[in-house]
Amino acid sequence: MRAVFKRELRSLYTTPQGYVFSGAFALVMNIYFHFVNIAGRDSDLGSVFTFMLVVLMFTVPVLTMRGFSEEYRRGTDRLIFTAPVKLGGIVAGKFWAIMAAFGGTLFIMTFIYAEIIILFGALNFAEYLGHMTAILTFAAVYISIGLLISALTSSQTVAMLATLGAFTVLLLLDVAAGVMSESWAKSLLGPLSLFKRYDTFTRGIFSLADLVFVASCCVFFLMLTALLLHRRRHGMKGQRLRLLAFAAPALAVLVLVNLLCGALGERFYFKYDMTRARVFALSSQTTAILKELPEAVTITLLSDRADMSMVVTDDDTGVWYQLADVRDFLEKCVATANDNLRLQYIDPDLNPGWVRERDLTEQAGYYSIIVESGRRTKILSVRDLFETQMLYDVDGAFVTEAVVGLAAEQAVTSAILNVITEVLPKAAILTGHGEYPTEYLSWMLSAFSYDVSEVNITAQEIPVGTELLVLAAPMYDFSERELNALDKYLSGGGSAIIAFDPAMPELRALELYLTEWGARFEPAFVFDAALNYGRQDFILPILRTDFIEGLSVSGGRYLLTMGSRPLTALWETDGNRVITPFILTYDTAYAKEFSADTLITGLDESEGDLPGPFILGAVSAQVRADGSGNMVVFLPMSVIADEALSMPNFQNYHLVVSLLNKMQSELTLDIPPRDITPVPLAVNSREALWLSVILLIVIPLIPAAAGIGMWFGRRKL
């Protein structure tokens, strides 16, 4: 084999063939890298490797077309067949020579790309190595197919065109598997698709099962090539049974290896997370919950498993969601959990009765995730599993909404906790007094295993067993009966979040009652000209992280308050109640007083304004004689407004989670979404120009010049 390897490798670079391949491959890949990564200022090399898989379809035939065709044309195949080398060694020698030529070109090109990323961005080394391994394995399949076809013909042109045709058929099979509606067709074509198996690597997952399948395909085609050569050398007379006795067990071994890897992969999850943010890794909280599940839980995906490799678009927002991320995360959960967790796929078109039996027709649709136990059912949509962000242009106009993180762990783990908890805590959103809408907060409470309901306190009683009450900026005052109901609830041990806003009128009865809990919202509007988010009333205050655990203002993450009234703490301790301020402004803040007869006409600081600092939020905690306790949280309405809670760049969401954790720690999880946004490539215009000259002109000219020199040299011989 070694002699064949050296001979074949030498022949590639003593003829223009190897140089044509290297030059064409480098030029096409450099063009793509320039426009996507350098011009697009993107550090992610994943799309480069994905594009490389397509480029190989058109460049590998140049390397493989002369593998055996040239031997047949020149008659040198008889010399090889009579040499003291086994046919398997001949095939292996040619295969590894072509792999060495491709691998050398690949290493040089990707090394240059990696150096550029290191200099101007951030290279994910694990993902880089994973893609390199995957692309080499997939290239091996292409090369083995090319060698097989070259062993069938003595014409290099026919071998090249036939190889290109074979690759095109493989691509069409992949497309057909994606567009066919028949489940049997997807089940048949899907597992045969090479391109679908590479999708796993493009999303940052190193899949051992996919690599074993691809390597098995390579071995299979190389075996066929060796059998063809055996037939050409010895003919088929008396050899059929002998060849069958060799080929059948070998093929059976390859099939068994793939089946074993697939079964072990489902049980032990033989996949490695190569992503920068460890997108598919599970936190210690989730791992502990899954390993100790006390009862059977079933997660049902309303989709065929083959469809979970698609990208779907939200009709309302236009956001694109990668369903394969959801599938891989759920399969990781099942592989981590004990035997009480099961994952199943139900196609609602093929099994409409399954959805109707559970009365889910109005609540669940395609790609919904149904988490259920013997106690209750929790429904998640695809939107619940991703974190999105609004994108604006330089003028502040809305452009689009895009996915920036995978929030599947928070959503799924909370849903599992929800369905295994014996009794869910109740939360009531008070209405009836023109309160501010709190849809996002209601969703958060539901996600954190609260049984959420709206209670119109003007006509309804606060339900027995309610543990959390939310009063969001009421616009009308409370009656004596309503205050008695509120006092009965709080004195009985219930907790509450009470938010005020500068737009609220004077509510004498409610505000007087709240003074019993040690807090009074003043009739003033707080501003800060120095520490704000673009406007004086968009304040970035101080958070007492010693009181609210798990929060930090480092790393550019701040709490955002969009309009606040100053809060006065009337005492520190009063009997069994203690009030603790935890949101405060800086000294640079100032406040403008207002009343029914006085309007605020400007945002800038002026004479007569109240000087800072101010308290914006506080917790009044009560400890009763039996040792139990409850708390009333006073906040600016803007902290829990939908707009603020849904903004991932601020800590409003995490603050609310921390407060809920103080109230119900065993059911509240705060698992941050995994960031999937690419690291930008910091290249200025001059650097981009020089890089384009090197990539698009200098590097492709090197193999071109070497090939031309080799061509002229051979003409003189």
Side-chain angles (χ1 to χ4, degrees):
M1 185 190 84
R2 183 178 301 176
V4 177
F5 171 80
K6 291 180 178 179
R7 173 181 176 273
E8 192 68 22
L9 188 61
R10 189 183 305 113
S11 68
L12 282 172
Y13 289 100
T14 54
T15 63
Q17 184 182 8
Y19 300 102
V20 169
F21 166 79
S22 298
F25 185 76
L27 178 61
V28 175
M29 291 308 306
N30 286 356
I31 291 173
Y32 184 87
F33 178 78
H34 174 267
F35 283 103
V36 172
N37 292 86
I38 296 177
R41 305 300 195 268
D42 189 353
S43 291
D44 183 21
L45 283 174
S47 63
V48 173
F49 284 100
T50 304
F51 181 69
M52 192 180 295
L53 195 65
V54 179
V55 174
L56 287 176
M57 290 177 54
F58 302 95
T59 54
V60 164
V62 176
L63 284 178
T64 61
M65 65 182 184
R66 69 186 299 274
F68 291 101
S69 299
E70 183 70 3
E71 305 283 0
Y72 298 159
R73 188 183 68 82
R74 296 171 59 184
T76 55
D77 57 317
R78 296 182 181 180
L79 295 176
I80 296 178
F81 289 157
T82 56
V85 182
K86 293 183 178 180
L87 292 179
I90 296 172
V91 175
K94 287 181 174 289
F95 170 77
W96 286 114
I98 298 174
M99 280 293 293
F102 167 71
T105 304
L106 174 69
F107 176 78
I108 293 171
M109 296 310 305
T110 56
F111 178 79
I112 294 171
Y113 300 157
E115 286 299 315
I116 293 173
I117 299 298
I118 290 172
L119 287 174
F120 301 103
L123 177 68
N124 183 352
F125 194 68
E127 195 168 9
Y128 170 72
L129 288 180
H131 278 297
M132 285 284 287
T133 305
I135 205 69
L136 284 170
T137 309
F138 278 78
V141 177
Y142 284 174
I143 292 170
S144 64
I145 293 174
L147 284 176
L148 173 63
I149 294 174
S150 74
L152 293 171
T153 176
S154 59
S155 171
Q156 292 188 46
T157 303
V158 171
M160 183 181 69
L161 294 177
T163 304
L164 180 59
F167 293 161
T168 304
V169 170
L170 288 177
L171 180 61
L172 292 176
L173 285 175
D174 180 78
V175 174
V179 299
M180 283 187 174
S181 57
E182 293 83 359
S183 59
W184 66 267
K186 290 183 178 180
S187 301
L188 178 64
L189 296 178
L192 299 177
S193 172
L194 289 175
F195 295 93
K196 290 273 187 220
R197 292 185 180 269
Y198 195 79
D199 287 347
T200 308
F201 295 91
T202 64
R203 293 180 295 104
I205 299 177
F206 188 91
S207 173
L208 181 61
D210 288 336
L211 278 187
V212 169
F213 173 82
V214 175
S216 300
C217 291
C218 176
V219 173
F220 174 72
F221 288 118
L222 291 177
M223 284 172 48
L224 286 182
T225 305
L227 290 175
L228 281 173
L229 294 180
H230 188 279
R231 177 183 179 183
R232 190 177 186 92
R233 182 178 182 179
H234 300 288
M236 290 300 293
K237 185 176 181 180
Q239 298 290 326
R240 287 187 176 88
L241 291 178
R242 185 177 177 183
L243 291 176
L244 184 62
F246 168 76
L251 182 59
V253 168
L254 292 178
V255 172
L256 286 175
V257 167
N258 278 277
L259 291 175
L260 180 62
C261 284
L264 291 176
E266 291 181 3
R267 183 67 181 88
F268 298 104
Y269 197 78
F270 287 156
K271 295 179 181 180
Y272 176 73
D273 188 351
M274 304 182 298
T275 56
R276 172 175 51 87
R278 301 301 303 273
V279 172
F280 302 100
L282 298 181
S283 67
S284 57
Q285 293 173 292
T286 298
T287 301
I289 292 170
L290 293 178
K291 287 184 177 295
E292 299 173 7
L293 277 179
E295 58 188 273
V297 175
T298 301
I299 299 178
T300 304
L301 256 168
L302 292 186
S303 169
D304 185 86
R305 190 182 187 281
D307 289 340
M308 291 305 293
S309 60
M310 297 170 52
V311 176
V312 297
T313 306
D314 190 310
D315 294 334
D316 297 329
T317 62
V319 177
W320 292 51
Y321 298 113
Q322 175 62 264
L323 295 179
D325 289 347
V326 177
R327 178 198 64 204
D328 285 328
F329 174 78
L330 293 177
E331 291 179 354
K332 176 67 177 291
C333 289
V334 173
T336 304
N338 60 22
D339 294 335
N340 282 330
L341 185 64
R342 186 170 70 96
L343 174 64
Q344 64 179 0
Y345 297 87
I346 299 291
D347 189 330
D349 286 341
L350 300 178
N351 299 279
W354 190 93
V355 179
R356 286 197 299 267
E357 285 172 7
R358 290 159 175 79
D359 196 23
L360 301 175
T361 306
E362 300 296 327
Q363 304 162 277
Y366 261 101
Y367 314 118
S368 292
I369 297 94
I370 316 297
V371 183
E372 57 185 342
S373 68
R375 301 177 188 275
R376 64 184 66 87
T377 299
K378 182 74 175 177
I379 303 173
L380 301 173
S381 67
V382 173
R383 186 185 304 181
D384 296 331
L385 307 184
F386 292 88
E387 181 183 41
T388 61
Q389 184 176 5
M390 304 287 188
L391 301 179
Y392 301 87
D393 61 19
V394 292
D395 298 323
F398 172 75
V399 177
T400 186
E401 185 177 355
V403 172
V404 295
L406 183 67
E409 184 177 1
Q410 172 72 65
V412 173
T413 308
S414 294
I416 292 173
L417 271 179
N418 183 289
V419 301
I420 64 174
T421 302
E422 186 172 353
V423 179
L424 292 180
K426 295 181 180 179
I429 310 292
L430 289 190
T431 63
H433 292 84
E435 288 81 2
Y436 198 92
T438 55
E439 292 182 7
Y440 202 100
L441 180 60
S442 298
W443 172 84
M444 284 183 64
L445 293 172
S446 179
F448 294 134
S449 300
Y450 279 88
D451 181 8
V452 184
S453 63
E454 288 191 355
V455 176
N456 186 337
I457 198 171
T458 63
Q460 299 173 274
E461 297 294 329
I462 299 174
V464 176
T466 299
E467 297 185 22
L468 176 62
L469 181 147
V470 178
L471 179 58
M475 301 300 292
Y476 309 108
D477 208 353
F478 276 47
S479 67
E480 183 177 356
R481 185 196 67 80
E482 294 160 357
L483 288 176
N484 288 335
L486 182 61
D487 182 63
K488 178 181 177 182
Y489 166 77
L490 293 176
S491 299
S495 295
I497 296 176
I498 297 177
F500 269 50
D501 189 81
M504 293 169 54
E506 183 180 8
L507 307 177
R508 293 185 179 180
L510 177 61
E511 293 179 26
L512 180 62
Y513 170 72
L514 294 179
T515 60
E516 297 181 14
W517 287 85
R520 182 176 66 234
F521 286 98
E522 305 295 349
F525 203 133
V526 180
F527 301 90
D528 196 325
L531 295 159
N532 57 61
Y533 189 65
R535 280 179 41 170
Q536 291 95 318
D537 55 334
F538 281 28
I539 301 171
L540 301 176
I542 304 169
L543 270 173
R544 276 191 54 187
T545 54
D546 60 326
F547 177 72
I548 303 295
E549 298 176 0
L551 288 177
S552 172
V553 294
S554 62
R557 295 181 64 91
Y558 298 96
L559 184 74
L560 177 62
T561 62
M562 301 170 283
S564 304
R565 289 172 61 171
L567 183 71
T568 298
L570 301 177
W571 29 257
E572 292 185 6
T573 303
D574 182 22
N576 61 346
R577 294 177 182 175
V578 178
I579 188 164
T580 306
F582 67 94
I583 305 177
L584 307 100
T585 69
Y586 291 88
D587 294 341
T588 53
Y590 54 92
K592 297 179 179 292
E593 294 182 295
F594 62 85
S595 65
D597 302 324
T598 305
L599 296 178
I600 297 174
T601 57
L603 304 183
D604 296 331
E605 188 173 7
S606 60
E607 186 178 353
D609 290 346
L610 303 175
F614 303 101
I615 300 171
L616 299 184
V619 169
S620 182
Q622 174 179 254
V623 179
R624 297 193 298 277
D626 60 1
S628 61
N630 62 315
M631 62 177 65
V632 178
V633 181
F634 299 96
L635 291 170
M637 182 61 229
S638 58
V639 171
I640 60 172
D642 292 350
E643 298 85 352
L645 289 176
S646 61
M647 295 178 72
N649 294 333
F650 296 97
Q651 288 201 340
N652 297 57
Y653 176 92
H654 299 288
L655 172 61
V656 173
V657 173
S658 297
L659 292 171
L660 295 178
N661 193 51
K662 282 183 170 292
M663 301 175 188
Q664 193 67 253
S665 58
E666 63 273 12
L667 291 178
T668 305
L669 299 171
D670 185 15
I671 304 171
R674 305 296 199 277
D675 182 16
I676 60 176
T677 55
V679 177
L681 199 68
V683 180
N684 61 41
S685 56
R686 180 177 297 179
E687 292 165 341
L689 176 62
W690 279 109
L691 288 173
S692 64
V693 171
I694 294 171
L695 291 171
L696 304 182
I697 299 176
V698 176
I699 292 177
L701 279 178
I702 294 174
I708 293 172
M710 180 61 64
W711 181 73
F712 275 107
R714 288 179 61 85
R715 287 191 64 185
K716 294 179 181 180
L717 295 178

